[in-house]
Amino acid sequence: MSDVPGAPADLLRSLTRAERLLSRRMAAVLADDELTTEAWRVLCLLADGQGHPMSEVSAEASLPPGTLTKLVDQLVDRNLVFRRIDPLDRRRIRAYLTTRGRREHARLDERVRASLAEVGVPAESALLDDLTELIARLDPAGRRDHAEAAGPRR
């Protein structure tokens, strides 16, 4: 830790710690449904109903392609996700939520939001806005941000 308050090392350490603690909290919420935080990220991305190429899902979920394929296979086996050939580019596969997947995402989303509210993080959070802005500044190439990928906020 730096002796200078607000040093870059403090920001990095705080963001890392917050991410780890939040991941643990989400894992506890999702454990009853035997879902991982990685599976939750995939469900959130697909919740917009547009269907997404597997390469995009891989990037947004921060998973290597092989790991994502295994995870999506598991979600397909649970009837939460299905895949279709992209009608515009037949070389690509797009992933979508099934009807059951949409119901499960909505149910779990309520549980996740309630868990976050318990620690004082409201659904409409200035923190999320600040992090989204930070991501945009750090990623000028313009990859979609995770807030957008998670779908519209309430």
Side-chain angles (χ1 to χ4, degrees), residues 14-151:
S14 294
L15 286 172
T16 300
R17 181 129 171 88
E19 189 275 334
R20 288 178 182 163
L21 291 169
L22 181 59
S23 289
R24 272 192 231 144
R25 187 171 192 87
M26 292 302 97
V29 170
L30 300 168
D32 290 343
D33 294 280
E34 298 178 0
L35 279 177
T36 63
T37 54
E38 291 82 8
W40 174 244
R41 285 189 200 120
V42 171
L43 295 179
C44 288
L45 175 63
L46 300 180
D48 66 7
Q50 297 176 9
H52 294 272
M54 293 292 283
S55 57
E56 180 184 328
V57 177
S58 175
E60 292 299 323
S62 301
L63 294 170
T67 302
L68 176 69
T69 297
K70 290 175 188 170
L71 175 61
V72 171
D73 286 345
Q74 293 168 1
L75 296 173
V76 167
D77 289 346
R78 293 178 63 173
N79 191 28
L80 298 174
V81 170
F82 69 95
R83 298 181 193 114
R84 289 287 181 263
I85 294 173
D86 188 321
L88 300 176
D89 182 351
R90 298 192 54 80
R91 297 169 296 175
R92 297 182 105 178
I93 302 293
R94 295 179 81 85
Y96 302 82
L97 287 184
T98 62
T99 300
R100 180 171 184 252
R102 286 192 301 277
R103 278 194 316 265
E104 286 298 299
H105 176 266
R107 183 181 65 77
L108 291 168
D109 187 62
E110 286 182 25
R111 290 181 56 205
V112 166
R113 288 173 186 272
S115 179
L116 291 174
E118 287 175 11
V119 293
V121 179
E124 295 295 324
S125 172
L127 174 61
L128 183 57
D129 293 339
D130 290 344
L131 289 172
T132 300
E133 185 177 327
L134 175 62
I135 290 166
R137 289 180 182 181
L138 293 172
D139 187 10
R143 257 188 48 199
R144 285 173 22 121
D145 69 283
H146 291 281
E148 180 186 2

